[in-house]
Amino acid sequence: MKKALLYLVVFLAVQIIGTYAVMLVWSWAGGVAVDERMMTSAPVVIVSSAVYSLIVLVIFLVCRWCVVSRTYLKTRPVGVLFWVVIAALGSIIPSEWLLEQLQLPDTNAEVFAQVMASPWGYVAICIFAPLVEEVVFRGAILRELLTAYRPWVAIIVSALFFAAAHFNPAQMPHAFLIGVLMGWMYWRTGSILPGILLHWVNNTVAYVVANLYPGMFDLTLGDLFGGNQQRVLMAVAFSFCLLLPALFQLNQRMKRADDR
C-alpha cells in the first residue's frame, strides 16, 4: 500500500507543480498576473496537461514503476480489443444516466468544454490522459496493490484512487466504474493496453459530443434525445445490450500472455 500511495502522491504532485510552473512561465511571457482566470484558461490547461503528462511518463517508466512490454500485443488480442471497444461504447450512456440521477456538482464543466473545443484539447484529453492515467493507476498502482491484496480489493482500491484524482464530484462515479472495469482487464491480461483503448474510446466519445453541441456545458441525455425520457431509457437499455455481451466475451477471451 505504501508504494501505491507513493505513486499516487508523485502523480498528483507532478500535476500540481507542472500546472503552476506553466502558469508562471505563461505569466512571465505574457506580462500578466497569475489569477483564477489563468487557471481555467483552455490553452494553459492544455499546455499544462502536456507538460505534466510527459514528466509523469518519464518518471514512471525510467523508475520502472510501470513495466511496459510488447508481450501481450504479440499474442494478437484482436478479439479482446474489439470487445473492449464495444464495452466502452456500451458503458457511456448508463454511466451518464446514473450521474444525472445523482445530480453531483460539476466544477469543471465550462473549462472542459473550452478544452474540448480545441484540436489540441483532443491531444490532451484523448491521447495523453488515457496513456498516462493507465500507466499510473493500472500499470503502477494496481500492479503494486495486486501483490498485497486479493484481486477485487486491489481493483476497487485503485478505482477509488482513480476517481478521487479527478477532483470533480460529477466525474467521480463514472471514473470509479470504468476504473473497476479497466482494473479487471489489467488483472486478467497483465497489460495496460485494453485499459488504454477503453479510456481512449470513452474520452473520444466525450470529445465528439462536446463538439457536436458546442457551448452546452450542462448537456444531458434528455437534450441528446429531444427531451423524450422514453428515448433516454431505450438508449440505456440498448447500451446494456452492448455492454453485457461485451463483458461476457471479455470474460471468455481475456488471458495473460503466459497463459496462452
Side-chain angles (χ1 to χ4, degrees), residues 1-256:
M1 177 64 85
K2 289 182 179 179
K3 283 188 177 181
L5 289 172
L6 170 64
Y7 300 153
L8 179 62
V9 169
V10 170
F11 171 71
L12 295 177
V14 171
Q15 188 174 0
I16 293 169
I17 294 171
T19 298
Y20 276 96
V22 168
M23 290 171 60
L24 289 173
V25 173
W26 201 283
S27 172
W28 173 78
V32 296
V34 176
D35 55 19
E36 186 176 346
R37 288 179 299 175
M38 183 178 290
M39 294 179 66
T40 58
S41 166
V44 173
V45 171
I46 292 170
V47 173
S48 300
S49 174
V51 169
Y52 68 68
S53 293
L54 290 173
I55 295 173
V56 167
L57 280 176
V58 170
I59 292 173
F60 276 72
L61 295 181
V62 169
C63 294
R64 295 186 65 81
W65 292 347
C66 174
V67 179
V68 177
S69 74
R70 295 188 296 172
T71 303
Y72 185 70
L73 192 58
K74 288 179 180 178
T75 65
R76 300 179 182 178
V78 177
V80 169
L81 299 181
F82 170 79
W83 287 107
V84 166
V85 172
I86 300 302
L89 295 174
S91 69
I92 293 171
I93 289 180
S95 183
E96 178 62 26
W97 180 85
L98 175 62
L99 180 62
E100 290 180 8
Q101 308 313 304
L102 295 174
Q103 296 184 342
L104 297 173
D106 192 343
T107 57
N108 295 330
E110 187 171 349
V111 64
F112 271 115
Q114 294 174 16
V115 170
M116 294 287 197
S118 167
W120 290 108
Y122 182 84
V123 177
I125 300 297
C126 304
I127 304 298
F128 278 131
L131 178 60
V132 173
E133 291 175 4
E134 290 314 298
V135 164
V136 173
F137 289 95
R138 258 60 65 178
I141 291 177
L142 179 55
R143 176 171 171 259
E144 180 63 29
L145 291 172
L146 284 170
T147 65
Y149 300 97
R150 292 181 179 180
W152 279 107
V153 173
I155 289 168
I156 290 172
V157 171
S158 67
L160 287 171
F161 285 174
F162 181 58
H166 282 75
F167 296 111
N168 183 4
Q171 290 180 283
M172 289 179 181
H174 180 66
F176 173 75
L177 292 173
I178 67 166
V180 170
L181 179 55
M182 294 185 294
W184 173 61
M185 293 191 298
Y186 176 80
W187 169 51
R188 288 290 302 271
T189 64
S191 172
I192 62 173
L193 182 60
I196 290 174
L197 179 59
L198 186 143
H199 208 148
W200 172 76
V201 172
N202 179 83
N203 290 13
T204 297
V205 169
Y207 180 87
V208 170
V209 172
N211 282 275
L212 287 175
Y213 297 88
M216 296 185 67
F217 307 136
D218 56 350
L219 184 69
T220 66
L221 291 175
D223 297 325
L224 287 174
F225 293 99
N228 189 319
Q229 290 303 309
Q230 184 175 2
R231 291 179 183 176
V232 171
L233 294 177
M234 289 176 63
V236 172
F238 176 76
S239 294
F240 276 111
C241 291
L242 297 177
L243 178 60
L244 296 179
L247 294 178
F248 175 80
Q249 288 292 332
L250 288 172
N251 187 56
Q252 296 294 109
R253 295 168 181 266
M254 286 193 302
K255 294 181 180 179
R256 286 180 175 268

